Amino acid sequence: MRGEATPRLREALEDDIVSGRLRPGQRLDEVGLAERFEVSRTPIREALIQLASSGLVEIRPRRGAFVVLLGPRALIESFELMAEIEAACGRLAARRMTPEDKAALQAAHAACAEAVQAGDMAAYYPANAVFHQAIYAATANRVLAEEARRFQLRLQPYRRLQLRVPRRMDASFLEHEAILAALVAGDGEEAATHLRAHVLVQGERFMSLLTALQDETEDAAKAG
């Protein structure tokens, strides 16, 4: 039961942080959070440790957990780096993909398709994460795959929030189709190009993400 609660708590706290309901520098009180979510302190502590791994929370010895939030510049720079990491993954995966890797990637893509057809954003994001993780695994490069997963975790709440932008989920799935086609064809450069464009947030897409963040903050203020 406790293990089932942790992902739910982590996602709820992620939303609170990126929406502005929890402010940068704010201390996260385990007792208060446990009362709010009607759970023990253990799953709260586990969720905070996971958030610390993604960089949204800083755990200070003997002082507790505090909110950390990327500013606009750090956010776009992080997405730029993630785009290059994923491009490198695509380049290697196209050359090294095994039949098992291909099957895992196609299964993840099928799960994304089901979520899109159902209009289920909550189901799409985890399926999307598995799709990308299948690419990392197909690189046969453990160091690169580990770094890609680390950055995926760090940017997870922001990438999930992007899906709230109108029509972004449909566009994301179409981008996945192009990535999958390039990987299956063994075209590393094409896969790298599609992955870079898929992950990179700039121009209109970055402004859409900032607008989504601002809208979440305003909704939180009205609710408060």
Side-chain angles (χ1 to χ4, degrees), residues 21-81:
R21 286 186 285 268
L22 292 173
R23 303 289 183 178
Q26 182 174 339
R27 184 176 182 277
L28 298 172
D29 176 55
E30 289 184 10
V31 174
L33 291 172
E35 291 176 355
R36 171 187 165 190
F37 291 106
E38 299 181 337
V39 296
S40 70
R41 292 176 63 180
T42 299
I44 293 292
R45 191 174 298 116
E46 291 172 349
L48 292 176
I49 290 171
Q50 291 183 11
L51 290 171
S53 297
S54 66
L56 281 179
V57 164
E58 178 187 0
I59 297 178
R60 303 174 188 172
R62 297 181 298 279
R63 295 185 61 192
F66 294 81
V67 175
V68 178
L69 189 65
L70 293 177
R73 179 172 178 175
L75 186 60
I76 200 165
E77 288 175 350
S78 296
F79 270 100
E80 285 176 349
L81 180 54

Short mmCIF file of all heavy atoms in Angstrom, two decimals, residues 21-81:
data_model
loop_
_atom_site.label_atom_id
_atom_site.label_comp_id
_atom_site.label_asym_id
_atom_site.label_seq_id
_atom_site.Cartn_x
_atom_site.Cartn_y
_atom_site.Cartn_z
N ARG A 21 2.22 26.49 -6.23
CA ARG A 21 1.53 26.35 -4.95
C ARG A 21 2.54 26.16 -3.82
O ARG A 21 2.29 26.56 -2.68
CB ARG A 21 0.54 25.18 -5.02
CG ARG A 21 -0.71 25.48 -5.83
CD ARG A 21 -1.71 24.34 -5.74
NE ARG A 21 -1.31 23.19 -6.53
CZ ARG A 21 -1.67 22.98 -7.79
NH1 ARG A 21 -2.44 23.86 -8.41
NH2 ARG A 21 -1.28 21.89 -8.43
N LEU A 22 3.65 25.51 -4.16
CA LEU A 22 4.78 25.43 -3.22
C LEU A 22 5.90 26.27 -3.81
O LEU A 22 6.30 26.06 -4.95
CB LEU A 22 5.23 23.97 -3.05
CG LEU A 22 4.23 23.05 -2.34
CD1 LEU A 22 4.72 21.60 -2.39
CD2 LEU A 22 4.02 23.48 -0.90
N ARG A 23 6.42 27.22 -3.06
CA ARG A 23 7.35 28.22 -3.57
C ARG A 23 8.81 27.80 -3.41
O ARG A 23 9.14 27.09 -2.45
CB ARG A 23 7.13 29.55 -2.85
CG ARG A 23 5.71 30.09 -2.94
CD ARG A 23 5.41 30.58 -4.34
NE ARG A 23 4.08 31.16 -4.45
CZ ARG A 23 3.60 31.70 -5.55
NH1 ARG A 23 4.34 31.73 -6.63
NH2 ARG A 23 2.37 32.20 -5.59
N PRO A 24 9.69 28.25 -4.30
CA PRO A 24 11.12 28.00 -4.13
C PRO A 24 11.59 28.47 -2.77
O PRO A 24 11.26 29.57 -2.33
CB PRO A 24 11.76 28.82 -5.27
CG PRO A 24 10.70 28.87 -6.32
CD PRO A 24 9.41 28.97 -5.57
N GLY A 25 12.36 27.63 -2.10
CA GLY A 25 12.85 27.95 -0.77
C GLY A 25 11.92 27.53 0.36
O GLY A 25 12.32 27.54 1.53
N GLN A 26 10.69 27.16 0.02
CA GLN A 26 9.73 26.77 1.06
C GLN A 26 10.11 25.42 1.66
O GLN A 26 10.47 24.48 0.96
CB GLN A 26 8.32 26.69 0.46
CG GLN A 26 7.23 26.35 1.47
CD GLN A 26 5.85 26.43 0.86
OE1 GLN A 26 5.64 27.10 -0.15
NE2 GLN A 26 4.88 25.77 1.46
N ARG A 27 10.00 25.32 2.98
CA ARG A 27 10.29 24.06 3.66
C ARG A 27 9.08 23.15 3.56
O ARG A 27 7.94 23.58 3.75
CB ARG A 27 10.65 24.30 5.13
CG ARG A 27 11.07 23.05 5.88
CD ARG A 27 11.49 23.38 7.30
NE ARG A 27 11.94 22.20 8.02
CZ ARG A 27 11.12 21.35 8.63
NH1 ARG A 27 9.80 21.58 8.65
NH2 ARG A 27 11.61 20.29 9.25
N LEU A 28 9.33 21.88 3.26
CA LEU A 28 8.26 20.89 3.13
C LEU A 28 8.16 20.10 4.44
O LEU A 28 9.03 19.29 4.75
CB LEU A 28 8.54 19.97 1.95
CG LEU A 28 8.62 20.67 0.59
CD1 LEU A 28 9.09 19.71 -0.48
CD2 LEU A 28 7.26 21.26 0.21
N ASP A 29 7.11 20.36 5.17
CA ASP A 29 6.92 19.76 6.49
C ASP A 29 6.30 18.37 6.33
O ASP A 29 5.18 18.23 5.85
CB ASP A 29 6.03 20.65 7.34
CG ASP A 29 5.72 20.02 8.68
OD1 ASP A 29 6.66 19.67 9.40
OD2 ASP A 29 4.52 19.86 8.99
N GLU A 30 7.03 17.34 6.74
CA GLU A 30 6.55 15.97 6.57
C GLU A 30 5.26 15.72 7.34
O GLU A 30 4.35 15.05 6.85
CB GLU A 30 7.62 14.98 7.03
CG GLU A 30 8.82 14.89 6.11
CD GLU A 30 9.81 13.83 6.57
OE1 GLU A 30 9.46 13.04 7.48
OE2 GLU A 30 10.92 13.79 6.01
N VAL A 31 5.17 16.26 8.54
CA VAL A 31 3.97 16.04 9.36
C VAL A 31 2.75 16.68 8.69
O VAL A 31 1.68 16.06 8.57
CB VAL A 31 4.16 16.61 10.78
CG1 VAL A 31 2.86 16.50 11.58
CG2 VAL A 31 5.28 15.86 11.49
N GLY A 32 2.91 17.93 8.24
CA GLY A 32 1.80 18.61 7.58
C GLY A 32 1.38 17.92 6.30
O GLY A 32 0.18 17.80 6.00
N LEU A 33 2.35 17.45 5.52
CA LEU A 33 2.04 16.75 4.27
C LEU A 33 1.35 15.42 4.55
O LEU A 33 0.43 15.02 3.83
CB LEU A 33 3.31 16.54 3.45
CG LEU A 33 3.95 17.79 2.86
CD1 LEU A 33 5.31 17.46 2.25
CD2 LEU A 33 3.03 18.42 1.81
N ALA A 34 1.79 14.73 5.59
CA ALA A 34 1.17 13.45 5.95
C ALA A 34 -0.29 13.67 6.34
O ALA A 34 -1.17 12.87 5.97
CB ALA A 34 1.94 12.79 7.10
N GLU A 35 -0.56 14.75 7.06
CA GLU A 35 -1.94 15.05 7.44
C GLU A 35 -2.77 15.43 6.21
O GLU A 35 -3.92 14.99 6.07
CB GLU A 35 -1.96 16.21 8.44
CG GLU A 35 -1.38 15.83 9.81
CD GLU A 35 -1.32 17.02 10.75
OE1 GLU A 35 -1.63 18.16 10.30
OE2 GLU A 35 -0.96 16.82 11.92
N ARG A 36 -2.19 16.21 5.31
CA ARG A 36 -2.91 16.63 4.10
C ARG A 36 -3.30 15.44 3.25
O ARG A 36 -4.44 15.37 2.75
CB ARG A 36 -2.02 17.59 3.31
CG ARG A 36 -2.58 17.94 1.93
CD ARG A 36 -1.59 18.74 1.12
NE ARG A 36 -1.94 18.78 -0.29
CZ ARG A 36 -1.17 19.24 -1.25
NH1 ARG A 36 0.03 19.73 -0.95
NH2 ARG A 36 -1.55 19.21 -2.50
N PHE A 37 -2.37 14.51 3.04
CA PHE A 37 -2.64 13.38 2.16
C PHE A 37 -3.18 12.15 2.89
O PHE A 37 -3.45 11.12 2.27
CB PHE A 37 -1.36 13.00 1.39
CG PHE A 37 -0.94 14.02 0.38
CD1 PHE A 37 0.16 14.85 0.61
CD2 PHE A 37 -1.64 14.17 -0.81
CE1 PHE A 37 0.56 15.79 -0.33
CE2 PHE A 37 -1.25 15.11 -1.76
CZ PHE A 37 -0.15 15.92 -1.52
N GLU A 38 -3.31 12.28 4.21
CA GLU A 38 -3.86 11.20 5.04
C GLU A 38 -3.06 9.91 4.89
O GLU A 38 -3.61 8.83 4.63
CB GLU A 38 -5.34 10.98 4.71
CG GLU A 38 -6.20 12.21 4.97
CD GLU A 38 -7.67 11.98 4.66
OE1 GLU A 38 -7.97 11.06 3.87
OE2 GLU A 38 -8.52 12.70 5.22
N VAL A 39 -1.76 10.04 5.02
CA VAL A 39 -0.85 8.89 4.97
C VAL A 39 0.15 9.04 6.11
O VAL A 39 0.20 10.06 6.79
CB VAL A 39 -0.08 8.82 3.61
CG1 VAL A 39 -1.05 8.58 2.46
CG2 VAL A 39 0.74 10.08 3.39
N SER A 40 0.97 8.01 6.30
CA SER A 40 2.03 8.11 7.30
C SER A 40 3.17 8.94 6.74
O SER A 40 3.19 9.28 5.55
CB SER A 40 2.54 6.70 7.66
OG SER A 40 3.26 6.15 6.58
N ARG A 41 4.16 9.23 7.57
CA ARG A 41 5.29 10.04 7.12
C ARG A 41 6.22 9.26 6.19
O ARG A 41 6.97 9.87 5.42
CB ARG A 41 6.07 10.56 8.32
CG ARG A 41 5.28 11.58 9.15
CD ARG A 41 6.05 12.00 10.39
NE ARG A 41 7.30 12.67 10.06
CZ ARG A 41 8.14 13.13 11.00
NH1 ARG A 41 7.86 12.96 12.28
NH2 ARG A 41 9.25 13.74 10.64
N THR A 42 6.16 7.93 6.25
CA THR A 42 7.11 7.13 5.45
C THR A 42 6.93 7.34 3.94
O THR A 42 7.91 7.63 3.24
CB THR A 42 6.99 5.64 5.81
OG1 THR A 42 7.31 5.48 7.19
CG2 THR A 42 7.96 4.82 4.97
N PRO A 43 5.73 7.21 3.38
CA PRO A 43 5.60 7.47 1.93
C PRO A 43 5.88 8.92 1.57
O PRO A 43 6.36 9.20 0.46
CB PRO A 43 4.16 7.07 1.61
CG PRO A 43 3.44 7.08 2.91
CD PRO A 43 4.46 6.71 3.94
N ILE A 44 5.61 9.84 2.49
CA ILE A 44 5.95 11.25 2.24
C ILE A 44 7.47 11.38 2.13
O ILE A 44 7.99 12.03 1.20
CB ILE A 44 5.44 12.16 3.39
CG1 ILE A 44 3.90 12.19 3.41
CG2 ILE A 44 6.02 13.57 3.25
CD1 ILE A 44 3.26 12.88 2.23
N ARG A 45 8.18 10.75 3.04
CA ARG A 45 9.65 10.81 3.01
C ARG A 45 10.19 10.18 1.73
O ARG A 45 11.11 10.71 1.10
CB ARG A 45 10.20 10.10 4.24
CG ARG A 45 11.69 10.32 4.45
CD ARG A 45 12.15 9.72 5.77
NE ARG A 45 11.49 10.34 6.92
CZ ARG A 45 10.67 9.69 7.76
NH1 ARG A 45 10.43 8.41 7.56
NH2 ARG A 45 10.11 10.31 8.75
N GLU A 46 9.59 9.07 1.31
CA GLU A 46 10.03 8.41 0.07
C GLU A 46 9.79 9.30 -1.14
O GLU A 46 10.62 9.38 -2.05
CB GLU A 46 9.29 7.07 -0.09
CG GLU A 46 9.71 6.02 0.93
CD GLU A 46 8.85 4.77 0.87
OE1 GLU A 46 7.80 4.81 0.18
OE2 GLU A 46 9.22 3.77 1.50
N ALA A 47 8.63 9.98 -1.16
CA ALA A 47 8.33 10.88 -2.28
C ALA A 47 9.31 12.04 -2.32
O ALA A 47 9.75 12.46 -3.40
CB ALA A 47 6.89 11.40 -2.16
N LEU A 48 9.66 12.57 -1.15
CA LEU A 48 10.61 13.68 -1.09
C LEU A 48 12.00 13.25 -1.57
O LEU A 48 12.70 14.02 -2.25
CB LEU A 48 10.69 14.24 0.33
CG LEU A 48 9.42 14.95 0.83
CD1 LEU A 48 9.59 15.37 2.29
CD2 LEU A 48 9.09 16.16 -0.03
N ILE A 49 12.38 12.03 -1.24
CA ILE A 49 13.68 11.51 -1.71
C ILE A 49 13.68 11.41 -3.23
O ILE A 49 14.66 11.76 -3.90
CB ILE A 49 13.98 10.15 -1.06
CG1 ILE A 49 14.28 10.33 0.43
CG2 ILE A 49 15.16 9.46 -1.76
CD1 ILE A 49 14.38 9.04 1.21
N GLN A 50 12.58 10.95 -3.82
CA GLN A 50 12.48 10.87 -5.27
C GLN A 50 12.52 12.26 -5.90
O GLN A 50 13.15 12.46 -6.94
CB GLN A 50 11.19 10.13 -5.67
CG GLN A 50 11.20 8.65 -5.34
CD GLN A 50 9.95 7.95 -5.80
OE1 GLN A 50 9.14 8.49 -6.54
NE2 GLN A 50 9.78 6.71 -5.35
N LEU A 51 11.86 13.21 -5.28
CA LEU A 51 11.88 14.59 -5.79
C LEU A 51 13.28 15.19 -5.68
O LEU A 51 13.68 15.98 -6.54
CB LEU A 51 10.87 15.45 -5.03
CG LEU A 51 9.39 15.14 -5.31
CD1 LEU A 51 8.49 15.91 -4.35
CD2 LEU A 51 9.03 15.50 -6.74
N ALA A 52 14.00 14.81 -4.64
CA ALA A 52 15.38 15.28 -4.50
C ALA A 52 16.24 14.72 -5.63
O ALA A 52 17.13 15.41 -6.15
CB ALA A 52 15.94 14.87 -3.15
N SER A 53 15.96 13.48 -6.04
CA SER A 53 16.72 12.87 -7.14
C SER A 53 16.50 13.61 -8.45
O SER A 53 17.38 13.66 -9.30
CB SER A 53 16.32 11.40 -7.31
OG SER A 53 16.63 10.66 -6.15
N SER A 54 15.30 14.17 -8.62
CA SER A 54 14.98 14.90 -9.85
C SER A 54 15.36 16.37 -9.77
O SER A 54 15.21 17.11 -10.74
CB SER A 54 13.50 14.77 -10.18
OG SER A 54 12.70 15.42 -9.21
N GLY A 55 15.84 16.82 -8.59
CA GLY A 55 16.29 18.20 -8.46
C GLY A 55 15.22 19.20 -8.07
O GLY A 55 15.49 20.40 -7.98
N LEU A 56 13.99 18.73 -7.82
CA LEU A 56 12.93 19.65 -7.43
C LEU A 56 12.94 19.97 -5.94
O LEU A 56 12.35 20.96 -5.50
CB LEU A 56 11.56 19.07 -7.80
CG LEU A 56 11.12 19.19 -9.26
CD1 LEU A 56 9.77 18.55 -9.45
CD2 LEU A 56 11.09 20.64 -9.70
N VAL A 57 13.60 19.12 -5.18
CA VAL A 57 13.66 19.29 -3.74
C VAL A 57 15.11 19.12 -3.30
O VAL A 57 15.85 18.32 -3.85
CB VAL A 57 12.76 18.23 -3.04
CG1 VAL A 57 13.10 18.11 -1.56
CG2 VAL A 57 11.29 18.60 -3.20
N GLU A 58 15.50 19.92 -2.32
CA GLU A 58 16.83 19.78 -1.71
C GLU A 58 16.64 19.33 -0.27
O GLU A 58 15.90 19.95 0.49
CB GLU A 58 17.58 21.11 -1.73
CG GLU A 58 18.94 21.05 -1.08
CD GLU A 58 19.61 22.40 -0.96
OE1 GLU A 58 19.01 23.41 -1.40
OE2 GLU A 58 20.73 22.46 -0.42
N ILE A 59 17.28 18.23 0.09
CA ILE A 59 17.19 17.72 1.45
C ILE A 59 18.45 18.15 2.20
O ILE A 59 19.57 17.76 1.82
CB ILE A 59 17.03 16.19 1.48
CG1 ILE A 59 15.70 15.81 0.80
CG2 ILE A 59 17.05 15.68 2.92
CD1 ILE A 59 15.45 14.31 0.72
N ARG A 60 18.26 18.96 3.22
CA ARG A 60 19.39 19.49 3.99
C ARG A 60 19.48 18.76 5.33
O ARG A 60 18.48 18.68 6.06
CB ARG A 60 19.21 20.99 4.24
CG ARG A 60 19.06 21.80 2.95
CD ARG A 60 18.72 23.25 3.23
NE ARG A 60 18.40 23.96 1.99
CZ ARG A 60 17.91 25.20 1.96
NH1 ARG A 60 17.70 25.87 3.10
NH2 ARG A 60 17.63 25.78 0.80
N PRO A 61 20.64 18.21 5.65
CA PRO A 61 20.80 17.46 6.90
C PRO A 61 20.33 18.25 8.11
O PRO A 61 20.68 19.42 8.27
CB PRO A 61 22.31 17.18 6.96
CG PRO A 61 22.75 17.21 5.52
CD PRO A 61 21.89 18.27 4.87
N ARG A 62 19.48 17.60 8.91
CA ARG A 62 18.96 18.16 10.16
C ARG A 62 18.08 19.39 9.98
O ARG A 62 17.65 20.00 10.95
CB ARG A 62 20.11 18.48 11.15
CG ARG A 62 20.89 17.26 11.59
CD ARG A 62 21.98 17.61 12.58
NE ARG A 62 22.96 18.52 11.99
CZ ARG A 62 23.96 18.12 11.20
NH1 ARG A 62 24.11 16.84 10.90
NH2 ARG A 62 24.82 18.99 10.69
N ARG A 63 17.79 19.75 8.72
CA ARG A 63 16.94 20.93 8.49
C ARG A 63 15.68 20.58 7.72
O ARG A 63 14.70 21.32 7.75
CB ARG A 63 17.72 22.01 7.74
CG ARG A 63 18.88 22.58 8.54
CD ARG A 63 19.54 23.71 7.81
NE ARG A 63 18.63 24.82 7.55
CZ ARG A 63 18.90 25.84 6.73
NH1 ARG A 63 20.06 25.88 6.09
NH2 ARG A 63 18.03 26.81 6.55
N GLY A 64 15.70 19.48 6.98
CA GLY A 64 14.52 19.06 6.26
C GLY A 64 14.62 19.24 4.76
O GLY A 64 15.71 19.45 4.21
N ALA A 65 13.47 19.20 4.09
CA ALA A 65 13.40 19.29 2.62
C ALA A 65 12.88 20.66 2.21
O ALA A 65 11.94 21.19 2.82
CB ALA A 65 12.50 18.19 2.07
N PHE A 66 13.48 21.22 1.16
CA PHE A 66 13.12 22.55 0.69
C PHE A 66 12.89 22.51 -0.83
O PHE A 66 13.55 21.77 -1.55
CB PHE A 66 14.22 23.57 1.01
CG PHE A 66 14.41 23.80 2.48
CD1 PHE A 66 15.16 22.90 3.25
CD2 PHE A 66 13.83 24.88 3.11
CE1 PHE A 66 15.34 23.10 4.60
CE2 PHE A 66 14.00 25.09 4.47
CZ PHE A 66 14.76 24.20 5.22
N VAL A 67 11.96 23.34 -1.30
CA VAL A 67 11.60 23.38 -2.71
C VAL A 67 12.70 24.06 -3.53
O VAL A 67 13.24 25.09 -3.14
CB VAL A 67 10.28 24.16 -2.91
CG1 VAL A 67 9.98 24.31 -4.40
CG2 VAL A 67 9.14 23.44 -2.21
N VAL A 68 13.02 23.44 -4.67
CA VAL A 68 13.93 24.04 -5.65
C VAL A 68 13.17 24.07 -6.97
O VAL A 68 12.47 23.12 -7.31
CB VAL A 68 15.21 23.19 -5.83
CG1 VAL A 68 16.11 23.79 -6.89
CG2 VAL A 68 15.95 23.06 -4.51
N LEU A 69 13.28 25.15 -7.73
CA LEU A 69 12.59 25.24 -9.02
C LEU A 69 13.52 25.88 -10.03
O LEU A 69 14.14 26.91 -9.75
CB LEU A 69 11.31 26.06 -8.88
CG LEU A 69 10.37 26.05 -10.10
CD1 LEU A 69 9.81 24.66 -10.34
CD2 LEU A 69 9.22 27.03 -9.90
N LEU A 70 13.60 25.29 -11.21
CA LEU A 70 14.44 25.85 -12.26
C LEU A 70 13.86 27.17 -12.76
O LEU A 70 12.66 27.27 -13.01
CB LEU A 70 14.54 24.88 -13.44
CG LEU A 70 15.28 23.57 -13.20
CD1 LEU A 70 15.22 22.70 -14.46
CD2 LEU A 70 16.72 23.81 -12.81
N GLY A 71 14.72 28.17 -12.92
CA GLY A 71 14.29 29.42 -13.54
C GLY A 71 14.23 29.25 -15.04
O GLY A 71 14.68 28.23 -15.59
N PRO A 72 13.67 30.24 -15.77
CA PRO A 72 13.53 30.11 -17.23
C PRO A 72 14.83 29.79 -17.95
O PRO A 72 14.85 28.93 -18.84
CB PRO A 72 12.98 31.48 -17.65
CG PRO A 72 12.26 31.98 -16.43
CD PRO A 72 13.07 31.49 -15.27
N ARG A 73 15.93 30.45 -17.58
CA ARG A 73 17.19 30.19 -18.28
C ARG A 73 17.69 28.77 -18.01
O ARG A 73 18.09 28.05 -18.93
CB ARG A 73 18.26 31.20 -17.86
CG ARG A 73 19.60 30.96 -18.53
CD ARG A 73 20.60 32.07 -18.27
NE ARG A 73 21.89 31.77 -18.89
CZ ARG A 73 22.91 32.62 -18.91
NH1 ARG A 73 22.79 33.81 -18.36
NH2 ARG A 73 24.04 32.27 -19.48
N ALA A 74 17.69 28.37 -16.74
CA ALA A 74 18.14 27.02 -16.39
C ALA A 74 17.25 25.97 -17.03
O ALA A 74 17.72 24.90 -17.45
CB ALA A 74 18.17 26.85 -14.88
N LEU A 75 15.95 26.28 -17.14
CA LEU A 75 15.01 25.34 -17.73
C LEU A 75 15.31 25.11 -19.20
O LEU A 75 15.42 23.96 -19.66
CB LEU A 75 13.59 25.86 -17.54
CG LEU A 75 12.45 24.94 -17.98
CD1 LEU A 75 12.50 23.63 -17.21
CD2 LEU A 75 11.10 25.63 -17.77
N ILE A 76 15.49 26.18 -19.95
CA ILE A 76 15.74 26.01 -21.38
C ILE A 76 17.12 25.40 -21.63
O ILE A 76 17.30 24.58 -22.54
CB ILE A 76 15.56 27.35 -22.14
CG1 ILE A 76 15.35 27.06 -23.63
CG2 ILE A 76 16.73 28.29 -21.93
CD1 ILE A 76 14.82 28.23 -24.42
N GLU A 77 18.10 25.74 -20.78
CA GLU A 77 19.42 25.14 -20.93
C GLU A 77 19.38 23.64 -20.62
O GLU A 77 20.06 22.83 -21.28
CB GLU A 77 20.43 25.84 -20.03
CG GLU A 77 20.78 27.25 -20.52
CD GLU A 77 21.68 28.01 -19.56
OE1 GLU A 77 21.88 27.53 -18.42
OE2 GLU A 77 22.18 29.07 -19.96
N SER A 78 18.57 23.26 -19.66
CA SER A 78 18.43 21.84 -19.33
C SER A 78 17.77 21.08 -20.47
O SER A 78 18.17 19.95 -20.80
CB SER A 78 17.61 21.68 -18.04
OG SER A 78 18.28 22.24 -16.93
N PHE A 79 16.75 21.69 -21.08
CA PHE A 79 16.10 21.04 -22.22
C PHE A 79 17.06 20.95 -23.41
O PHE A 79 17.04 19.97 -24.16
CB PHE A 79 14.83 21.78 -22.62
CG PHE A 79 13.59 21.29 -21.93
CD1 PHE A 79 13.06 21.95 -20.84
CD2 PHE A 79 12.95 20.14 -22.36
CE1 PHE A 79 11.92 21.49 -20.19
CE2 PHE A 79 11.81 19.66 -21.72
CZ PHE A 79 11.29 20.34 -20.64
N GLU A 80 17.91 21.95 -23.59
CA GLU A 80 18.90 21.89 -24.68
C GLU A 80 19.84 20.70 -24.48
O GLU A 80 20.13 19.97 -25.44
CB GLU A 80 19.70 23.19 -24.74
CG GLU A 80 18.94 24.37 -25.32
CD GLU A 80 19.74 25.66 -25.28
OE1 GLU A 80 20.80 25.68 -24.60
OE2 GLU A 80 19.33 26.64 -25.91
N LEU A 81 20.31 20.52 -23.24
CA LEU A 81 21.20 19.41 -22.96
C LEU A 81 20.48 18.07 -23.11
O LEU A 81 21.01 17.12 -23.68
CB LEU A 81 21.79 19.54 -21.56
CG LEU A 81 22.77 18.44 -21.12
CD1 LEU A 81 23.89 18.27 -22.14
CD2 LEU A 81 23.31 18.74 -19.74
#
